[in-house]
Amino acid sequence: MNKALAVPPVGPSPDSLPAGEPVDDVFGAHRGPLTVTDDFTVLDDPVEQQEFTTYEPAAEASPGEAGVAQSVLLVQGMYCAACADTVECALQDLPGVESARVHAATRRLTLRWDPAQARLSDLAQAVGRTGYRLLPLQQALSISERLRETRMALWRLFVAGFCNMQVMMYAWPAYVAKPGEMPADLEQLLRWASWILSVPVVTFASGPFFRNAWRDLRLGRVGMDTPVSIGILVTFLVSTAATFDPSGPWGHEVWFDSLTMFVFFLLGGRYLEHKARDRTAGALDTLMNRLPEVCDRQAAEGRFETVSVRRLSVGDVVRVSAGQAFPGDGAILSDSATVDETLLTGESHPVTRSAGESVVAGSFNLAGPVLMRVDRLGRDTRFAQIVALMEKASTDKPRLAVLADRIAAPFLVIVLLSALFAGWYWWQIDHSKALAVAVAVLIVTCPCALSLATPAAMLTSAGALARRGTLVRRLQAFESLAGIDAVVFDKTGTLTHDRLELESVRAREGWTSAMVLSLAAELAQGSLHPVSRGIVAAAKLANPMEGAPSARGDCRELAGQGLQALRADGTLVRLGSASFCGLAADTANETPKAYLADADGWLATFELREGLREDARATVAALHDLGVQTWLLSGDRQAAAERVGREVGVGAVIAGATPERKLAELEALQAKGRRVAMVGDGLNDGPVLARAHTSFALGHAAALAQAQSDYIIQGGRLMDVVLTLRQARSTMRIVRQNLVWAALYNAVSIPMALVGWMPPWLAGLGMAGSSLLVIGNALRLAGSTRARA
């Protein structure tokens, strides 16, 4: 949407912080002192809550009573697994909170709470007391908010970089001068100059590290900024003591150059990491923020007025300008519209919608101004359903990420104890190196790369698939999908279209196929029955010759039987089942048939078949090439299922299966050791979609089928199953590479720091570089779907 809601930032309550204490985001962007006028109650506004809260009716709730609420908010001021744990713990035990889950990579909080026992503003204040802020996603992801954060990050990086260059210039003579070459007063002057330049690096550029560390210590926790802050502070204080008292125990050496270089490297790495994280979740955020902030609504007298999208009502007529997204689901009132439906199909090719045809919210109008009637708004739109699925994916914690988060917290305690031991050990050997070794150990062992290894890769893949029109409901599903060795397909609506296609026509002597098809299509054109639609589609495709006897306009449809109408000569003509037409049924085969009859009896027989999806055969072949076996599991007749199975090339066909038998057959495959992915679309597929190791639902699938699936293929392309499987395997390969790198980095760098081979500035470079390498490796997944498309 790129819009900011009228919601002020929510942060620490006025009575939870000392008067005038500022609050900073992840980069320490100053937001000014909090005052008693800060308003938290706006989060309780029902109109505003529609943007980020859904409600589930409680089992014991009376009619009209709200049940459990689920809100998705962004946590500002956090960037690591320890921060996520702090926010979760702050909310978990509060009255009315059922669950609180924070995703460290996307900073999203999924909060389930009971409106009868708690207010969202009170919960936000509880989070504020831990030093973090809660924001609705639309506000947090707005352009102005991103620019403000980026601007402050660049200022801090500039101060650290500029001061570091000057300090290195003043430190260089001490490195190259031989003993006795540089006068003592000049050496002391250079130290004073370095100290002056280091002060803004410590007080301004390093501010976020100190504030985050102090917040964690007040809460009795050890965060990833704690060892960093200790290293910066100890280095600066000892170097300051050496500058003020050259004859003291630390007077022979200062580390201002290492200090400023470390801060510069760390801020630079964190800035690039922030930009990379934005890119990993960027595709998700872009799709979730497509609706316009305002639109032109037609008033009663015909003029147009600009109103907020949230003020629209069903039935309103709005004017959508070129390049603007449709604000709701509705029907085109103009003659035609050129629409970009990437949101639904993943394809960027424009489509033309004529007057009366439907468009969905979030699709873009590519041509001139278009009038549309609004039929669905807000949570009722297809766009809102897609956003809900994407929010769930962006807040899901994969199993490997949860494991890494659990390891990170105790690992930080080990880091502090290791640094203390290293300092004590080296003090006995060479007290001049003790400080440098301890600081290097503190810095180099921070487990940022370990925490980012899994979510960075999985979020990048989820974003890349979203651009292709495949929505990922659970990030954990990547791990499940990468290990499958069998795919089970439903038939109707999955391998085949949910419509019938005309296969053959037999006509009475004296009539051509084109003539009977034209007559049958004239009868069927007003019917929605699959047989009728198949005949009409075939007639349009064949463009039959003119001159066939036509039916009058008084066509009647008898439910479950067929259609009848009078021809121009007054004779009755019927299209439908054999009994309806007064004929004996043709039992030569089990294909669907429709009959055409007039006063003289049988006139024509139309044999129809289910139309295969264009890419069904290629999809099955591609799966076999990947070493995956395939099954067809259908509730249809044996002959129909086997025909489809032969045509697409599946390995085995199971037909006539009830929902219970489908589930039993799937469990039997799993009992044999198969890791199964299920692809379906119907209500009867819900149990097997839920039971499979992982599952796909096509975009037109029933709501229950989508709710039980891990992946939703918006455009209905079966080949996207293959694409997603390849992406999942690539994702898990990248995850393993990231975890191996994080482990090797610590295995090599920690011993080097302990033996004194790694100075603090190199430790800072290694820490920032390891995180960047993990994210950069994950970013390779962003283009992998395009390469395979």
Side-chain angles (χ1 to χ4, degrees):
M1 298 176 202
N2 287 338
K3 62 180 182 178
L5 301 175
V7 185
V10 178
S13 61
D15 54 358
S16 67
L17 290 175
E21 180 173 336
V23 179
D24 296 75
D25 61 17
V26 65
F27 294 123
H30 186 75
R31 298 184 179 276
L34 292 168
T35 66
V36 293
T37 60
D38 280 346
D39 184 16
F40 295 92
T41 59
V42 69
L43 285 179
D44 301 324
D45 185 345
V47 175
E48 301 293 347
Q49 282 190 3
Q50 292 176 8
E51 295 289 331
F52 52 86
T53 302
T54 56
Y55 294 91
E56 301 174 7
E60 65 277 2
S62 58
E65 182 181 351
V68 177
Q70 178 167 297
S71 300
V72 179
L73 301 166
L74 189 135
V75 184
Q76 240 178 8
M78 64 159 286
Y79 65 93
C80 67
C83 302
D85 189 46
T86 299
V87 175
E88 289 177 355
C89 291
L91 290 167
Q92 199 64 59
D93 298 327
L94 294 179
V97 176
E98 287 198 0
S99 66
R101 221 174 27 177
V102 180
H103 195 293
T106 60
R107 298 184 289 166
R108 282 171 170 81
L109 162 69
T110 302
L111 181 66
R112 289 177 57 84
W113 54 287
D114 185 356
Q117 301 183 45
R119 294 188 308 167
L120 195 56
S121 57
D122 295 333
L123 302 180
Q125 292 187 47
V127 173
R129 283 190 283 273
T130 66
Y132 300 94
R133 291 181 168 218
L134 297 186
L135 285 174
L137 289 178
Q138 289 80 4
Q139 178 180 352
L141 299 176
S142 67
I143 292 177
S144 59
E145 188 73 19
R146 288 174 181 265
L147 288 176
R148 188 199 55 75
E149 288 191 8
T150 301
R151 190 182 305 115
M152 182 54 66
L154 288 174
W155 267 113
R156 295 185 186 277
L157 183 61
F158 168 76
V159 169
F162 178 79
C163 293
N164 173 243
M165 287 190 296
Q166 301 303 311
V167 170
M168 288 299 296
M169 182 177 66
Y170 296 142
W172 182 249
Y175 286 106
V176 299
K178 296 179 181 179
E181 282 189 348
M182 188 165 57
D185 55 348
L186 178 59
E187 182 179 5
Q188 188 63 17
L189 178 62
L190 293 177
R191 287 188 176 188
W192 275 105
S194 298
W195 180 82
I196 293 172
L197 289 166
S198 299
V199 169
V201 175
V202 174
T203 57
F204 174 69
S206 303
F209 307 136
F210 292 134
R211 271 184 276 271
N212 292 337
W214 176 241
R215 177 195 60 212
D216 292 332
L217 291 175
R218 282 191 306 172
L219 297 170
R221 298 180 179 275
V222 177
M224 292 190 185
D225 275 337
T226 303
V228 170
S229 299
I230 294 175
I232 294 173
L233 189 60
V234 170
T235 304
F236 179 73
L237 291 178
V238 172
S239 298
T240 299
T243 301
F244 279 80
D245 184 13
S247 61
W250 305 98
H252 62 284
E253 191 171 356
V254 295
W255 292 284
F256 292 124
D257 53 336
S258 295
L259 167 66
T260 54
M261 187 180 296
F262 162 62
V263 173
F264 173 69
F265 283 148
L266 189 57
L267 286 174
R270 193 160 293 185
Y271 172 76
L272 294 175
E273 179 184 319
H274 171 76
K275 300 300 288 184
R277 285 194 201 185
D278 274 355
R279 185 176 171 187
T280 59
L284 304 178
D285 295 341
T286 299
L287 290 179
M288 290 168 63
N289 289 271
R290 293 169 68 101
L291 296 188
E293 181 180 356
V294 296
C295 64
D296 295 334
R297 180 176 62 186
Q298 190 175 39
E301 60 273 19
R303 65 180 180 85
F304 288 92
E305 56 183 357
T306 301
V307 298
S308 168
V309 169
R310 291 199 293 276
R311 303 304 174 189
L312 292 178
S313 301
V314 173
D316 284 346
V317 175
V318 298
R319 180 176 60 193
V320 182
S321 302
Q324 189 179 32
F326 292 96
D329 293 350
I332 296 294
L333 300 182
S334 301
D335 292 338
S336 64
T338 304
V339 183
D340 175 5
E341 294 187 342
T342 307
L343 179 70
L344 289 180
T345 65
E347 297 289 350
S348 59
H349 305 299
V351 295
T352 301
R353 297 294 180 216
S354 303
E357 292 188 330
S358 299
V359 291
V360 296
S363 298
F364 283 103
N365 174 31
L366 300 180
V370 172
L371 294 182
M372 71 165 288
R373 182 188 68 247
V374 178
D375 295 334
R376 287 181 294 276
L377 287 165
R379 295 287 177 181
D380 297 329
T381 63
R382 177 62 178 154
F383 173 80
Q385 298 168 12
I386 293 173
V387 168
L389 292 172
M390 296 171 74
E391 284 178 346
K392 186 178 187 304
S394 65
T395 54
D396 184 41
K397 276 191 177 181
R399 181 180 58 84
L400 290 175
V402 172
L403 179 61
D405 290 352
R406 290 177 180 172
I407 294 174
F411 187 74
L412 285 168
V413 177
I414 297 174
V415 167
L416 295 176
L417 294 177
S418 299
L420 184 62
F421 170 78
W424 170 80
Y425 179 81
W426 274 95
W427 184 269
Q428 301 177 68
I429 300 174
D430 182 358
H431 71 274
S432 64
K433 295 188 64 175
L435 175 64
V437 171
V439 169
V441 172
L442 281 172
I443 294 168
V444 80
T445 53
C446 194
C448 295
L450 178 65
S451 297
L452 292 171
T454 299
M458 291 187 174
L459 278 170
T460 302
S461 280
L465 289 171
R467 287 193 296 270
R468 286 275 305 166
T470 300
L471 301 182
V472 182
R473 295 186 68 250
R474 291 190 312 115
L475 294 183
Q476 180 61 41
F478 281 120
E479 186 177 356
S480 303
L481 181 59
I484 67 155
D485 56 12
V487 173
V488 176
F489 291 97
D490 177 45
K491 180 177 73 70
T492 305
T494 302
L495 288 175
T496 66
H497 292 292
D498 55 353
R499 63 178 183 268
L500 296 174
E501 294 179 353
L502 184 63
E503 186 173 21
S504 65
V505 179
R506 291 185 288 114
R508 183 198 303 169
E509 186 177 353
W511 289 70
T512 66
S513 297
M515 292 171 64
V516 294
L517 183 59
S518 177
L519 178 60
E522 190 169 353
L523 268 71
Q525 63 184 354
S527 172
L528 296 178
H529 193 279
V531 171
S532 298
R533 289 188 295 172
I535 290 175
V536 171
K540 290 180 179 179
L541 184 64
N543 191 22
M545 58 179 287
E546 297 181 1
S550 61
R552 290 181 178 178
D554 56 348
C555 181
R556 293 177 52 206
E557 181 172 8
L558 284 75
Q561 300 182 60
L563 302 109
Q564 64 182 27
L566 291 176
R567 286 209 312 240
D569 58 3
T571 60
L572 185 69
V573 61
R574 289 184 172 183
L575 174 68
S577 64
S579 59
F580 178 66
C581 295
L583 305 171
D586 182 1
T587 59
N589 54 58
E590 297 183 355
T591 59
K593 297 181 182 67
Y595 300 88
L596 187 66
D598 59 8
D600 296 329
W602 175 80
L603 185 57
T605 300
F606 304 94
E607 291 190 0
L608 299 101
R609 54 174 286 178
E610 290 178 301
L612 289 179
R613 290 190 179 274
E614 294 76 9
D615 57 351
R617 188 177 295 105
T619 298
V620 172
L623 288 172
H624 291 166
D625 291 341
L626 292 173
V628 177
Q629 296 189 14
T630 56
W631 273 262
L632 173 59
L633 185 58
S634 174
D636 206 349
R637 302 180 307 274
Q638 185 74 31
E642 287 183 350
R643 178 185 63 80
V644 172
R646 284 193 305 271
E647 292 187 1
V648 300
V650 296
V653 175
I654 301 172
T658 62
E660 292 78 10
R661 187 187 169 194
K662 283 186 175 184
L663 186 59
E665 294 286 353
L666 182 75
E667 290 174 341
L669 286 175
Q670 292 174 327
K672 295 177 182 177
R674 297 287 183 186
R675 298 191 60 82
V676 183
M678 178 71 195
V679 186
D681 76 320
L683 283 172
N684 61 344
D685 296 325
V688 286
L689 289 170
R691 182 66 178 84
H693 291 98
T694 189
S695 53
F696 293 81
L698 303 187
H700 64 270
L704 175 62
Q706 294 191 7
Q708 300 294 344
S709 301
D710 298 322
Y711 303 92
I712 297 178
I713 302 174
Q714 293 285 91
R717 296 179 300 266
L718 279 178
M719 188 56 73
D720 282 350
V721 173
V722 179
L723 177 72
T724 307
L725 172 58
R726 290 172 176 163
Q727 185 76 5
R729 291 181 175 180
S730 297
T731 301
M732 295 313 299
R733 184 169 60 251
I734 294 295
V735 166
R736 287 191 292 270
Q737 290 172 0
N738 285 348
L739 291 174
V740 168
W741 160 252
L744 288 176
Y745 161 74
N746 283 283
V748 172
S749 60
I750 292 176
M752 289 179 62
L754 286 172
V755 300
W757 292 352
M758 182 174 287
W761 68 266
L762 184 57
L765 180 60
M767 175 186 169
S770 63
S771 297
L772 288 176
L773 183 62
V774 162
I775 294 181
N777 193 32
L779 288 178
R780 295 194 295 132
L781 294 165
S784 57
T785 56
R786 290 192 293 270
R788 298 179 184 130

